[in-house]
Amino acid sequence: MQDALQDLIGDISGGVSFSRASAMLVTRVTNILNCDICSLFVVDNKTKNLQLVANEGFRDIDPNSIVVPADTGVVGMVAKRKEPINLTNINQHPDVYFLEGQSENAFPSFLGVPILYQRRILGVLVAQDEYHEFTEDDEGFLTSLATSFAHDLSHAIATNEITLGAVPPKRREEQHFKGYAGSPGIASGIAVVRHPHAQLEDVTYRVIEPNDVDHELAEFNEALNLVVQDLNQGRERMQSVLGAEELALFDAYLHMLDDDALPHEVRTTVLNECVGAQTAVSNVFSRHIRELERSESSYLAERGQDLRDLGQRILAAMQRQDRSDNDIPPNSILVAHEVSASMLSEVPSENLIGVVSAEGSMNSHVTILARALNLPAVIGAEDLPLLDIDNLPLIVDGYYGEIVVNPSAATTSHFEELVDVEESFQAELDEIRDLPSVTMDGVRINVWVNIGLVSEISRSLDLGAEGIGLFRTEVPFANRNRFPTEEEQRRIYREHMEAFDPRPVTMRTLDIGGDKDLPYFKIEEENPFLGWRGIRVTLDHPDIFLGQVRAMFKANADLEGILRIMLPMVSNIEEIEIAKRYIDQAYREVIEEGVNAKQPQIGVMIEVPSLIFQRQQVMRLVDFLAIGTNDLTQYMLAASRTNPQVAELYREFDPSMVHALRMLAKTAHEARKPIGICGELAGTVEGAVMCIGMGYDVLSMNATNIPRVKWVIRNITMTNCRRIVARALRMHSAREIFNFIREQLHGAGLDKALPPHEPPAIFF
Ligand code: PEP
Ligand code: MG
């Protein structure tokens, strides 16, 4: 039964439509359980009915007519209790519900299991038989199936793939969807949905007459020129906002379309084989993609994806599928299944006000770019019905990751008011840009930036960054097709250090693994967040570690600013000792080479809870501590930072976190060494106030949040922050702590700095 279960789960989640999946599900269940009937009921939240959406086995009853009030019958009881019910004879149950015209259930043996998703009841899966009872094994089977199917069902309900109720939802109705808050801000505009380009595999093989060859070649050349022109324009548009490193992405693309490369092969194929240009593009590109994908090297396999993208762009141009800039109205919100860097670059920036990507995570390219471009963005909005929303009015709430499709007049004016409030507050923030971050009672707090893209340097400085608290060195590593050389690294690091000099710059050694992949150095693991990550990788590869550290020393030579080297994902003391020995070796090597290097400060990120309990020993070995709350939260609470299923449990204000942060700060103070926070928590107003109260010296955050946090620092007293922490330490839940800090901020008249509205109702 186990194998049958796995096969069935594989088949229904293998990309088939929902109606096909549900039909397959009920038919196969009757075979596997050897029973007469299987039914899938779905809860209709509007009418509060349980509606039958798929059935195998009913003969005399029209399945479409079956709608059961949700609080009625045994099926209703399964939904209400959220637990399985297994009955030998349903006819004897006091709550049995007979359909109209029925006085007895002809299939009395009954097994019903709830379909639950994120604690919500979505439906009930029922098996019935005339004679045989259902066993515990059957119950286990149906429960496992319901659990696996829940995600697909939730998606189908959200995207209206199932029509529930007598009246199907109207297109013009206001609808709310949820994703991650990728980049802060609110945008109210028009959805511009981009779909994947024409598929290479869909081109039909077309033979042409020899005298059509010229025409086909002309079509191909025109399409190729258009694609090259588009890529060049995209590159130019991005030039002002991206650095040389990121622009290299576009150059790599353009090289593949050099005239003597693939285009030459396409032309030869048209000429020699007398086939249409689209056929030739499909054949030539597909052949190369297959070769690349067969390769063992993950880097080459990735390039196969690039080739596919290019081939499909050329096809789309030949099929006139591309939209011109005229299709991008002012106030456009770019929406796609997976927004890519090149898609972003295709949209004229003056018309683009927001981004929505159904796929993606907090560290994905699109998120980083949206922040760098200062565009509100919601990422990972899996349930958004992309096919239905092109050209519809849309609101993107980048503070809470909410999307409103077809907002009502009242909703639109509510959000537009919020945008106005934001803009006027923005003017106030601009005024304090160059003023120091000092509390009203005179305590200086360092507000630094988390950075990774060269393009963010000037923006960070403009927004008032007083240093770099976290340079994510993996970002420049990820933007190329091989490891950067020591000299390439030196140049990138130098650009940052020179721009910030004499401000301090904190260089984190390479932090890959987990959800951060390099295209040319794939780490495939079953449990990547608990695997080969951060310092574990670089200590196993001293070549990478030493090269990086040498590049850091060289980049810092002759500058006034202090070099701070920071070690990620440390979980024991030994790792610190070994890393320090390597840093010392690199220092001696560069000195021997005649580099005017200075001794660095060495710090450790506290991201793994084990270090909290060895904090005194850690403190003795290092010059500073920086708390990576993004990872510390997930390891402390065993709730992945990237899994929406447990997002509710990922609580940065959990009492365990608050106590840990307080303990770490105390240890640093006793040792008279600096301590900072460089997780996302530092960039939230609530988190910043709490950390200031605990005595953190450095708050390091993404550039966008700097002005707001600085404003709060300048308008609050340390005494008040300490009082807030003292109360928070006595509380029992993350929500209690968070709400309390919010109340205090309101009370102190600082609510302007909070996101301009309360979290939307769909979040609770
Ligand atoms: C953290 O974990 O808090 C952190 C700053 O590192 P990253 O988000 O890059 O993992
Ligand atoms: Mg981390």
Side-chain angles (χ1 to χ4, degrees), residues 301-355:
E302 283 275 326
R303 298 288 71 77
Q305 285 305 319
D306 291 345
L307 263 195
R308 176 175 297 282
D309 184 35
L310 287 174
Q312 294 184 166
R313 275 162 177 260
I314 297 174
L315 274 186
M318 281 194 274
Q319 296 167 2
R320 311 279 186 267
Q321 275 193 5
D322 263 359
R323 304 160 60 128
S324 72
D325 282 1
N326 300 336
D327 296 325
I328 311 280
N331 294 330
S332 284
I333 296 172
L334 178 64
V335 182
H337 182 69
E338 187 154 21
V339 176
S340 65
S342 69
M343 246 181 216
L344 262 175
S345 73
E346 283 168 8
V347 180
S349 50
E350 63 280 13
N351 288 355
L352 183 63
I353 59 162
V355 176

Side-chain angles (χ1 to χ4, degrees), residues 470 472 474 508 511 516 533 605 607 628-631 641 678-679:
L470 165 60
R472 289 189 163 98
E474 58 278 6
R508 175 168 76 181
D511 185 21
K516 286 183 272 189
R533 278 197 75 183
M605 288 186 80
E607 298 181 284
T629 47
N630 306 343
D631 276 314
R641 65 194 266 189
C678 59

